[in-house]
Amino acid sequence: MALKGLFADTWPRLVNIPGIVRKFLQNSLAAYLIDSRNLKDALVYIKYWALTWKIILGLFFKILLRRGPAGLVRTLVNYPWVFILIGVNGLSRRLVRGRSGAYHESICMMVHTVVVSVAAQIENIIFDSDRLIINEDLVPSDIARAMGLKVWLLESMGMLLPMLLPEAGLKYIDEAENEGINPDACSLPKATVGMVLKDHVPKGLAMVSSNMPCDAGAASYAFIQKAYNIPTYRLDVPFNFRNERAEKLFTDDLKGMVAFLEQHTPGRMDWGRLREICEGRNRMLELELELWDMASVRPAPMSAEAMCLGHLWHFNTLAGEKFAVHCFEQLVALARKNLEKGLAATSNEKYRAILWNPPFFHFIDLFNWAERTYGLTLLNDSMTYHHHAPIDTSTPESMLQGLAGTIMQGPMVRHTRGPAENYLDDIFSMYKRFNLDMVWVANHVGCKTAQALNGILRELCRAKGIPLLILDYDLLDNRIVSHAGMMKQVEHFMENVMKAERLDHPGRKRNLARGKI
């Protein structure tokens, strides 16, 4: 039955031989080298291409060595999405298109570090299942790691897989809807529930969830808890979280989580280890603020996925670890290199924008296309921009208080809970800080809270003279709005509102009609 399930999940991709061959050729090293016009960039790409394959093959070899052929097959049966992860170099190939120098290198480096992180997480679920717990993605793993536990962030694959293969989450979304999840709910909770129902994610000793970020996300854990049937702790973030009372309440809640994990797992709190993690997190914060200061310069020395993907992944999966700190140190060094030489990340920067609301996971290429088509540079996004304070590491109490403040201001949570000012004020703060030309709002059809604020935002932007693009899409489901449909919305806005001239090649109409970029 397990092998039958494996074939059922992989066969639809295997039978499309022409499509598979075409994608392989388009994303292969040879294809990159044919397109490359810069020897230095080509050498950098080859370096990270080889390092990424080393990590992937090393993971398979380690599983084979420690678990044998049967263990390797069992891993592929239990987690068939591993086949999609093998194509991660295709993501690098797409994201570096039209980019060069330190900007090109930063994207290669960032994608590679995500691969290293994912491989480590896969090792955790295979070799350390006796210390594995499940965390909701908005519950950072800092405390659990300080307790010597391994953590699987349940929504992580729901976000990552569509970046590699846009259709990767569709079967999981359909599975969840067939089991009763509201079709109007956000597609990320639906994809996560679908993966749990199909048994394609690990089952830990215990689970920690929360009431974040939205009703659909919180409600999905009723399905997940029933399917897992493991001890579960639910963190409760106060609705008005920007005051001392909320901080105290949530700090006590974190203490309850520690006691829960010590009761149901072999983990024990190591305050010295937590101090190391918090100090590392503080260092990452310091580096990110420096990165933002450099990005405020026009033209920006670093932008887009290099900045946003780094925060999305490393601040939420491995914050404070030496590996994540080193990743940000490298990113800042590359940005500083461009700044000192007076080089822009986007060689033809003409416009600057931010993206508000969750990014386009199944179409992460959109801003690369906008760069090449209109000279538009993405400088930051709402998942990344925050007001986190450094954590006081002097006492266990102060560390928990600092983490409480950080968790309560998690991605999306800091903007879609409490008064409307939480959502609106940061937009205009970023507009001024980064010297922007426009604001993009990712109008995810499943995010009802953000949609309700669009009318207010339109009025305020009109009064301030800020061009505003509200771009309709679905977070993970490209059947709602196609890639071609998303590009047409951008085209209409750039050409009719911004009066922008196109920079791309004459064959754009043919490529647009085919949904290519």
Side-chain angles (χ1 to χ4, degrees), residues 143-361:
I143 290 175
R145 283 184 280 124
M147 297 178 68
L149 298 171
K150 306 297 182 179
V151 181
W152 180 261
L153 295 180
L154 199 54
E155 288 83 357
S156 59
M157 287 302 107
M159 292 183 284
L160 180 59
L161 294 178
M163 295 186 199
L164 309 179
L165 183 69
E167 299 80 18
L170 300 186
K171 64 183 178 183
Y172 298 121
I173 292 171
D174 293 343
E175 179 78 14
E177 290 183 358
N178 292 339
E179 289 295 320
I181 290 284
N182 186 350
D184 290 337
C186 174
S187 49
L188 181 56
K190 288 191 292 188
T192 304
V193 168
M195 295 187 81
V196 171
L197 293 175
K198 291 180 77 68
D199 204 23
H200 288 176
V201 284
K203 182 177 181 179
L205 302 174
M207 179 167 65
V208 178
S209 67
S210 73
N211 60 344
M212 305 182 289
C214 61
D215 291 344
S220 68
Y221 275 81
F223 285 81
I224 294 168
Q225 186 174 356
K226 182 179 179 181
Y228 270 145
N229 192 27
I230 57 177
T232 301
Y233 190 90
R234 290 178 178 266
L235 291 166
D236 188 11
V237 174
F239 186 72
N240 292 312
F241 54 87
R242 298 179 187 273
N243 56 60
E244 291 184 9
R245 179 173 180 271
E247 185 178 277
K248 183 180 185 307
L249 286 171
F250 196 67
T251 299
D252 290 341
D253 208 357
L254 290 182
K255 293 176 183 177
M257 184 188 82
V258 172
F260 166 83
L261 291 175
E262 289 186 339
Q263 178 183 355
H264 295 285
T265 75
R268 295 294 180 268
M269 176 55 76
D270 182 340
W271 295 108
R273 173 68 177 130
L274 184 61
R275 181 172 290 106
E276 291 177 3
I277 291 172
C278 290
E279 288 172 350
R281 182 182 273 275
N282 287 345
R283 174 59 177 157
M284 290 173 68
L285 174 61
E286 177 186 344
L287 290 165
E288 187 167 58
L289 292 176
E290 182 180 352
L291 191 63
W292 291 357
D293 286 341
M294 288 189 283
S296 300
V297 176
R298 190 162 191 152
M302 192 59 65
S303 63
E305 303 87 1
M307 295 171 62
C308 300
L309 184 59
H311 182 96
L312 175 70
W313 198 260
H314 294 307
F315 262 92
N316 292 295
T317 60
L318 291 172
E321 297 290 350
K322 292 181 180 179
F323 172 77
V325 174
H326 181 62
C327 172
F328 268 78
E329 288 174 341
Q330 287 182 288
L331 182 59
V332 168
L334 289 169
R336 193 182 297 118
K337 178 180 176 182
N338 267 355
L339 183 67
E340 290 172 352
K341 292 182 177 180
L343 298 176
T346 305
S347 59
N348 56 353
E349 181 183 307
K350 295 180 180 297
Y351 305 97
R352 297 157 71 90
I354 57 164
L355 178 68
W356 212 246
N357 292 337
F360 318 113
F361 289 126

Side-chain angles (χ1 to χ4, degrees), residues 351-383:
Y351 305 97
R352 297 157 71 90
I354 57 164
L355 178 68
W356 212 246
N357 292 337
F360 318 113
F361 289 126
H362 63 78
F363 196 24
I364 194 174
D365 319 61
L366 185 63
F367 270 99
N368 180 295
W369 170 80
E371 275 185 18
R372 292 182 287 111
T373 306
Y374 295 106
L376 188 149
T377 299
L378 169 69
L379 291 177
N380 214 310
D381 72 322
S382 65
M383 299 283 284

Side-chain angles (χ1 to χ4, degrees), residues 416-430:
T416 56
R417 296 173 72 88
E421 286 78 11
N422 288 356
Y423 182 86
L424 299 168
D425 288 355
D426 270 357
I427 295 177
F428 301 119
S429 174
M430 290 178 73

Side-chain angles (χ1 to χ4, degrees), residues 58-75:
L59 173 64
F60 285 144
F61 181 75
K62 187 177 292 186
I63 297 172
L64 184 64
L65 188 65
R66 295 179 60 177
R67 293 290 185 264
L72 179 59
V73 171
R74 192 179 304 112
T75 298

